[in-house]
Amino acid sequence: MSRTSIALFNNKGGVGKTTLTYHLAHMFRRLGLTVLAVDLDPQANLTSMCLDETEIEELWENPSELIAQGAAPSALPGTGRVRSGQTIADAVRPILEGTGDVAPVEPAELQDGLWLLAGSLDLSRFEDKLSNEWFKTFAGDIAAIRTTTAFHRVMEQAAAAVHADIVLIDVGPNLGAINRSALIAADTVLMPLAADLFSLKGLSNLGPTLRDWRRNWQQLVLPQVPEGFSAPRAGMRPLGYVIMQPEMRLDRPVKAYERWLERIPWVYSAAVLGENPKEQGGDRHRIATLRNYRSLMPLAHDARKPMFDLKAADGALGSTQKYVQTCYREFRALAEGVLARTEELAAE
């Protein structure tokens, strides 16, 4: 398959977006694809799921500061999987500080064929810079275009370096400037949803915003990009959505859950796709419904592996092991469904 990039996004937090990104990355690898996972959330939650605290501490060391303190470049921290100063924040630091263009960074190899372009809390410093440059891109300001396309070019370089088949982009739950630059760099967008009022309201905001960003970039900016300069196409084509089932509580009756669930197809068609929902039958844009696996999460966190890879030695005993097998089947079906949707969009 040709390389494709998928952003997982919902501007309502707490729906399991990062957990979904992490497990999809591992399942795509199980299906034989080379995967690059990219952490563009300034909270760096995906990075914290993939690496241990020691590795993250080494990643977040600033090489220039260490060298200024007398350390030799060859003595900079590194464990073999990670090296000091190899995060997305380090890649865009020259732009932020006005000292140059994006700096190349090396993804961390999590396992054979699975790579992470690590995040950092420092990435939040880039928000104001991106926000200030956005409208300048409409006038063809080359420096502004260079800033706004920074994520695209860093991911492009990293994906080429590791020969990635698929790039998964984890972003924060907001419609800010960092997410705008991240999403215009994505070919497609997969939306994890909960069946509640907040997810539906998030969809209502998200759809028109994505269309606005796409239209502005494709009509106002792309015609002014210099020849030979790598700029994203701002595809952001909606792949569909994944329903993340909640843990049912006595104070939240099943009927309330089902009521919101029934409204999702209508809101998705109208707000995200801009279609007349009356002309669209069924729930054809739902790729999967994932049950709540909260009981497996602590075991997976301690073992530093996906929930569907838990073994008896990790504490997954008896009925829990059957739950692990169910988890594997659901995530495999989801991954295959996402790939099928991706191929359908590519063929259109």
Side-chain angles (χ1 to χ4, degrees), residues 157-170:
Q157 293 169 9
V162 302
H163 306 289
D165 298 306
I166 192 163
V167 178
L168 294 180
I169 309 168
D170 188 37

Side-chain angles (χ1 to χ4, degrees), residues 86-154:
Q86 296 292 308
T87 73
I88 192 72
D90 295 295
V92 301
R93 182 173 285 116
I95 292 180
L96 180 62
E97 297 178 349
T99 59
D101 199 2
V102 292
V105 294
E106 297 179 10
E109 186 174 18
L110 305 178
Q111 58 181 249
D112 184 33
L114 177 57
W115 303 79
L116 171 71
L117 191 51
S120 169
L121 300 181
D122 288 343
L123 186 60
S124 60
R125 297 173 53 212
F126 201 41
E127 184 89 39
D128 286 346
K129 178 74 170 177
L130 287 169
S131 182
N132 292 335
E133 300 292 271
W134 175 247
F135 290 102
K136 296 179 184 178
T137 63
F138 300 167
D141 186 305
I142 301 304
I145 293 174
R146 192 176 298 277
T147 297
T148 306
T149 62
F151 292 153
H152 160 74
R153 291 181 292 122
V154 172

Side-chain angles (χ1 to χ4, degrees), residues 32-245:
L33 300 176
T34 299
V35 182
L36 174 66
V38 182
D39 191 351
L40 288 179
D41 183 351
Q43 295 299 311
N45 291 322
L46 180 61
T47 299
S48 69
M49 291 187 72
C50 294
L51 304 173
D52 62 39
E53 191 170 292
T54 300
E55 291 174 317
I56 295 173
E57 183 180 11
E58 292 175 351
L59 268 176
W60 289 356
E61 291 281 5
N62 188 326
S64 60
E65 291 180 1
L66 293 176
I67 292 172
Q69 295 168 8
S74 59
L76 294 178
T79 64
R81 287 214 303 179
V82 303
R83 287 181 52 209
S84 173
Q86 296 292 308
T87 73
I88 192 72
D90 295 295
V92 301
R93 182 173 285 116
I95 292 180
L96 180 62
E97 297 178 349
T99 59
D101 199 2
V102 292
V105 294
E106 297 179 10
E109 186 174 18
L110 305 178
Q111 58 181 249
D112 184 33
L114 177 57
W115 303 79
L116 171 71
L117 191 51
S120 169
L121 300 181
D122 288 343
L123 186 60
S124 60
R125 297 173 53 212
F126 201 41
E127 184 89 39
D128 286 346
K129 178 74 170 177
L130 287 169
S131 182
N132 292 335
E133 300 292 271
W134 175 247
F135 290 102
K136 296 179 184 178
T137 63
F138 300 167
D141 186 305
I142 301 304
I145 293 174
R146 192 176 298 277
T147 297
T148 306
T149 62
F151 292 153
H152 160 74
R153 291 181 292 122
V154 172
M155 289 189 289
E156 184 178 58
Q157 293 169 9
V162 302
H163 306 289
D165 298 306
I166 192 163
V167 178
L168 294 180
I169 309 168
D170 188 37
V171 296
N174 62 73
L175 294 172
I178 284 178
N179 282 0
R180 180 171 56 206
S181 290
L183 287 165
I184 65 171
D187 297 321
T188 57
V189 181
L190 177 64
M191 300 175 189
L193 304 174
D196 58 30
L197 170 64
F198 301 99
S199 275
L200 287 175
K201 183 61 177 176
L203 278 183
S204 299
N205 294 333
L206 176 59
T209 301
L210 289 184
R211 290 197 297 275
D212 184 56
W213 289 348
R214 182 188 301 112
R215 181 178 59 254
N216 285 336
W217 186 260
Q218 293 181 348
Q219 296 181 7
L220 302 179
V221 182
L222 280 183
Q224 303 185 75
V225 173
E227 185 176 352
F229 185 87
S230 181
R233 311 307 300 175
M236 296 185 286
R237 300 182 69 182
L239 269 181
Y241 56 87
V242 180
I243 301 294
M244 312 295 280
Q245 285 187 338

Side-chain angles (χ1 to χ4, degrees), residues 266-283:
W266 190 93
V267 176
Y268 184 87
S269 293
V272 177
L273 302 180
E275 299 176 343
N276 183 346
K278 294 182 179 180
E279 298 175 358
Q280 306 300 324
D283 196 3

Side-chain angles (χ1 to χ4, degrees), residues 8-10 15-16 20 24 189-195 199 239-245 261 264 268 285-291 330-331 334-335 337-338 341:
L8 288 92
F9 182 55
N10 186 332
V15 295
L20 182 61
L24 269 179
V189 181
L190 177 64
M191 300 175 189
L193 304 174
S199 275
L239 269 181
Y241 56 87
V242 180
I243 301 294
M244 312 295 280
Q245 285 187 338
L261 191 65
I264 288 176
Y268 184 87
H285 299 295
R286 186 198 315 195
I287 298 178
T289 297
L290 295 181
R291 68 192 70 202
E330 287 197 354
F331 272 98
L334 169 62
V338 169
R341 291 289 179 96

